[in-house]
Amino acid sequence: MSFKMEEKIISKDDLLKLCGDVIAKGHTLLAPGIAEYEQVKDVSQIRLDSSALPTKTSYKSYVFPKAEPILYYKRSKSDVQLIDVDVNGKKIVVLGAKPCDTNSINILKHLFNWDYEDEFFNLRQKHFVIIGLMCSSFDEYCFCTSVGSSPVSEEGSDLFLIPINEDKFALRIITEKGKEFIEPYSEFLKDGDEAKSNAVLESIKKPEVAFDSKQVHEWLGDNFENPKWEGIGNVCLSCAQCAFVCPVCHCFDLVDEDYSYSEGRRMKNWDGCQFGHFTLHASGHNPRDIQSKRYRQRVNHKFRYYVDKFGEILCTGCGRCSRGCPVSIDIKEIVSNCKD
Ligand code: SF4
Ligand code: SF4
C-alpha cells in the first residue's frame, strides 16, 4: 500500500530549531551552499532559497564517495588476508534539496543493485533523509521538464517544503521514512492547507519542454553512425567534468593500492566515460578510441541504454554539465537536436 501524503505547516524558526537538534544529535546536516551542498555546523549558515540555481555539484559524493576503500589486504608468503571495511552508515539529512537532485539516489539505486548489491551505497542511502524544496527559478541550461520531472516534483523527497510566506513553509510528509524523521518534532507542526500550497506550486514558472525523450530514444537507436557525433567530438576536451558534477553519473574504477610489499587496500574511485583511457583494454585496443564515440556513449547511456535497462532516464535535467563545460557543450541543445 502506498504512503498517504500528509500536509503540515512549520515556521522558519521551528525549522531551524529542528536543524539545530539534528546537528546536536551528531547527524550530518547538508544544505545547499555557494558551490556545493555543505555540511551545516551552525544553523546560522542555513539559507533556504527556492530561487537559487543548482549548486555546482550535487550531494552524490555522500552516498557514492569520490574515493573509498572497499577492503584491505595483507599478504604473506602463503596467504592473503582480506579485511572488511566498516561502512559509515551515519544518518545524513539533506535540507533544501533541489527537485533535480532529490530523485538522483532513486535513479542510482538501479545501477548499484543490478548485477551486484553494493552494500556501501545501500547502507548509506538507507540512512539518508531528503527534505526537498520547491524550485522557483531556472536558467537556460535547466530542462527538468524534458526528462519527466519539474521544479515542484516531490519525487525522491521524504519531506517536501513549499514556502508559503517569508516565515512559513508548508511541509509535506511524503514517505514513511519522512514520517519517522518528523515525528519527534510534532510540536513544531500545525495542520496544513493543501489548496493553499497547491496554488503556490501552480504559480511557479517552469522551463519549457525542450525535447520529447521518447523521440530522442528512438532517434538514438537509428543514428549510432550519424555524422553529428563527429562534430561534437571535435569540440569536446575529454575532461569529464560533466560526469563529476552530474548527480547521476556513476562510472567508477577499482584499483589495488599497495602500501608496502605485504599490505594494501582496494579502492573504488570515480571515473568518467569521457576519459580516453576509460575503455582502454590491456591489449592496447580501445573500442571508444576517439572523442566522438565517447560523447555518443554519454548521450546513449543517459537517454537510451539506461531507459532500456531500468526504465529511467539517467539525467535529472539539472544542467550542471552544461553550465560548467569549459567549451560550452550544452547537453540540452545536443539532445534537442537528436532528430532529423
Ligand atoms: S562535454 Fe565539456 S565537460 Fe564534458 S568532457 Fe567534453 S569538454 Fe569536458
Ligand atoms: S547529464 Fe547534465 S543535465 Fe543531466 S543530470 Fe547529469 S549534469 Fe544534470
Side-chain angles (χ1 to χ4, degrees):
M1 203 177 71
S2 63
F3 184 81
K4 192 173 175 309
M5 189 272 282
E6 287 177 58
E7 172 115 3
K8 301 285 176 192
I9 295 281
I10 188 165
S11 71
K12 203 171 173 183
D13 288 347
D14 285 341
L15 186 61
L16 293 180
K17 279 187 209 155
L18 178 157
C19 291
D21 187 62
V22 168
I23 299 169
K25 281 185 174 142
H27 305 317
T28 300
L29 178 69
L30 301 176
I34 292 168
E36 55 187 9
Y37 284 80
E38 291 167 0
Q39 184 169 355
V40 178
K41 302 278 187 188
D42 187 295
V43 294
S44 62
Q45 267 175 267
I46 296 173
R47 305 266 173 276
L48 266 179
D49 180 4
S50 68
S51 69
L53 287 173
T55 44
K56 199 168 174 188
T57 56
S58 74
Y59 46 82
K60 175 175 75 175
S61 64
Y62 288 86
V63 69
F64 168 36
K66 287 175 190 163
E68 71 173 328
I70 57 169
L71 62 83
Y72 294 91
Y73 50 82
K74 281 188 184 169
R75 264 188 306 249
S76 64
K77 273 188 186 156
S78 57
D79 192 27
V80 178
Q81 190 192 350
L82 301 180
I83 303 144
D84 280 341
V85 171
D86 193 11
V87 190
N88 176 2
K90 216 174 133 182
K91 183 175 275 184
I92 296 183
V93 179
V94 189
L95 174 74
K98 289 281 215 198
C100 54
D101 285 330
T102 53
N103 207 30
S104 58
I105 292 181
N106 284 341
I107 296 175
L108 287 169
K109 244 189 230 172
H110 298 295
L111 184 278
F112 287 111
N113 288 279
W114 161 41
D115 54 350
Y116 179 79
E117 288 181 10
D118 188 315
E119 62 178 296
F120 296 82
F121 175 90
N122 285 341
L123 187 73
R124 291 203 181 94
Q125 70 87 22
K126 206 169 127 197
H127 289 89
F128 253 74
V129 177
I130 299 174
I131 308 177
L133 171 67
M134 173 200 93
C135 172
S136 61
S137 71
F138 57 87
D139 67 6
E140 70 268 35
Y141 301 113
C142 294
F143 59 96
C144 58
T145 49
S146 306
V147 291
S149 186
S150 99
V152 300
S153 170
E154 295 158 2
E155 202 73 33
S157 288
D158 297 300
L159 299 162
F160 192 71
L161 294 167
I162 304 160
I164 297 296
N165 59 34
E166 289 281 290
D167 306 312
K168 282 196 180 102
F169 293 92
L171 182 135
R172 292 189 169 179
I173 305 170
I174 312 288
T175 64
E176 201 62 61
K177 199 199 252 184
K179 190 178 171 126
E180 239 172 71
F181 171 80
I182 203 73
E183 247 159 20
Y185 306 105
S186 55
E187 64 186 290
F188 296 151
L189 307 179
K190 297 196 173 49
D191 284 343
D193 178 351
E194 224 179 298
K196 205 168 177 183
S197 57
N198 278 342
V200 176
L201 298 181
E202 275 157 29
S203 70
I204 294 303
K205 214 166 159 242
K206 302 167 181 80
E208 268 179 42
V209 175
F211 53 82
D212 177 340
S213 60
K214 287 203 175 70
Q215 274 173 16
V216 170
H217 179 274
E218 204 180 312
W219 187 91
L220 289 170
D222 296 338
N223 285 277
F224 197 70
E225 301 295 349
N226 194 296
K228 281 182 189 178
W229 300 122
E230 198 186 327
I232 303 163
N234 287 341
V235 180
C236 177
L237 304 173
S238 316
C239 68
Q241 86 82 36
C242 46
F244 294 151
V245 299
C246 178
V248 288
C249 273
H250 50 253
C251 294
F252 64 85
D253 196 13
L254 296 175
V255 187
D256 285 353
E257 292 180 352
D258 280 353
Y259 310 136
S260 65
Y261 181 72
S262 59
E263 282 184 64
R265 61 183 183 174
R266 178 160 294 172
M267 295 296 293
K268 181 167 126 194
N269 300 324
W270 282 10
D271 205 340
C273 65
Q274 299 307 291
F275 288 135
H277 58 240
F278 183 71
T279 47
L280 179 63
H281 297 185
S283 65
H285 172 64
N286 191 343
R288 292 188 215 130
D289 53 347
I290 52 173
Q291 189 52 26
S292 55
K293 293 183 185 174
R294 298 193 277 270
Y295 201 86
R296 176 180 67 190
Q297 163 65 19
R298 178 169 174 76
V299 175
N300 271 277
H301 188 199
K302 289 184 174 294
F303 293 91
R304 186 169 172 84
Y305 308 147
Y306 211 78
V307 178
D308 289 344
K309 200 156 196 67
F310 303 120
E312 295 225 51
I313 299 173
L314 186 61
C315 172
T316 68
C318 69
R320 286 187 173 99
C321 54
S322 310
R323 245 174 245 116
C325 175
V327 290
S328 305
I329 291 178
D330 181 350
I331 197 165
K332 178 173 88 173
E333 192 186 320
I334 286 166
V335 176
S336 301
N337 282 319
C338 285
K339 59 185 178 197
D340 296 316

